[in-house]
Amino acid sequence: MTRFLPFPRVSFCLLALWLLLNQAVTVGHVLLGCVIALVGGRILTVLELPSTHVRRPAVLLRLLGLVAIDIIRSNLAVGQIILGFGRRQRKSGFVNIPLDMRNPYGLAMLACIITSTPGTLWVNFDAQKGLLMIHVLDLVDEAEWIRTIKQRYERHLLEIFE
């Protein structure tokens, strides 16, 4: 079964996504979605992804809650910047953050978290040095950003993946 359907969850999600995007559950869409799901699952075998599993699901749920709160707060802060509230001089800049995490899934999740939060952007990760560079729209305190990424996100991701 794993040769025919190597990643069943991914294939199921691809099929569900196809049906949601087409907003129709017809025989043609289901068949085409099944083909896309099977091909998509087979393509992942070519990538030879390292296996992993979530070690602490409760921590993952807590992290998702923190990220949701941070995204809402960042949306409000960026909205205030765009609308011109608090007319102080704003300075954007780059912050280098030393990371202890090396798990590729943890790093990918951290990249998604940082990039999906308005006002921040994942710029570069130096795997040799373990140094992450992010861009911050309103950079007030560099040390605060380092503390936030390490304590709020990396600590949880280390618990989940390593």
Side-chain angles (χ1 to χ4, degrees):
M1 181 68 174
T2 58
R3 191 182 320 167
F4 180 68
L5 197 62
F7 295 97
R9 289 186 205 135
V10 171
S11 295
F12 175 76
C13 288
L14 284 172
L15 173 61
L17 182 64
W18 178 260
L19 294 175
L20 283 171
L21 287 173
N22 285 296
Q23 297 179 358
V25 183
T26 62
V27 174
H29 283 299
V30 171
L31 288 175
L32 190 55
C34 285
V35 169
I36 290 170
L38 291 174
V39 169
R42 298 287 297 161
I43 288 173
L44 285 178
T45 60
V46 174
L47 295 177
E48 297 178 7
L49 300 172
S51 64
T52 191
H53 66 279
V54 175
R55 296 189 193 327
R56 311 249 333 253
V59 176
L60 178 62
L61 292 175
R62 189 174 342 130
L63 176 64
L64 292 176
L66 287 172
V67 170
I69 290 168
D70 287 348
I71 287 174
I72 291 168
R73 287 182 12 210
S74 291
N75 270 306
L76 294 173
V78 169
Q80 288 177 345
I81 291 171
I82 291 171
L83 295 174
F85 296 129
R87 298 266 182 201
R88 70 174 177 82
Q89 185 67 22
R90 307 235 185 248
K91 178 186 129 196
S92 64
F94 295 93
V95 179
N96 289 311
I97 303 167
L99 294 181
D100 300 321
M101 183 171 34
R102 296 295 184 266
N103 183 291
Y105 294 105
L107 290 170
M109 187 172 271
L110 183 61
C112 290
I113 291 169
I114 290 172
T115 304
S116 66
T117 306
T120 59
L121 179 68
W122 175 291
V123 177
N124 186 30
F125 178 69
D126 185 350
Q128 299 286 332
K129 298 176 185 175
L131 199 62
L132 166 67
M133 179 188 289
I134 65 171
H135 182 267
V136 180
L137 178 65
D138 187 19
L139 182 60
V140 177
D141 184 11
E142 197 170 310
E144 178 66 21
W145 278 101
I146 293 171
R147 187 196 64 74
T148 299
I149 299 295
K150 291 199 66 66
Q151 293 300 314
R152 207 162 163 90
Y153 303 133
E154 184 187 27
R155 180 175 56 92
H156 288 91
L157 289 169
L158 284 170
E159 283 184 58
I160 293 167
F161 291 110
E162 294 184 5

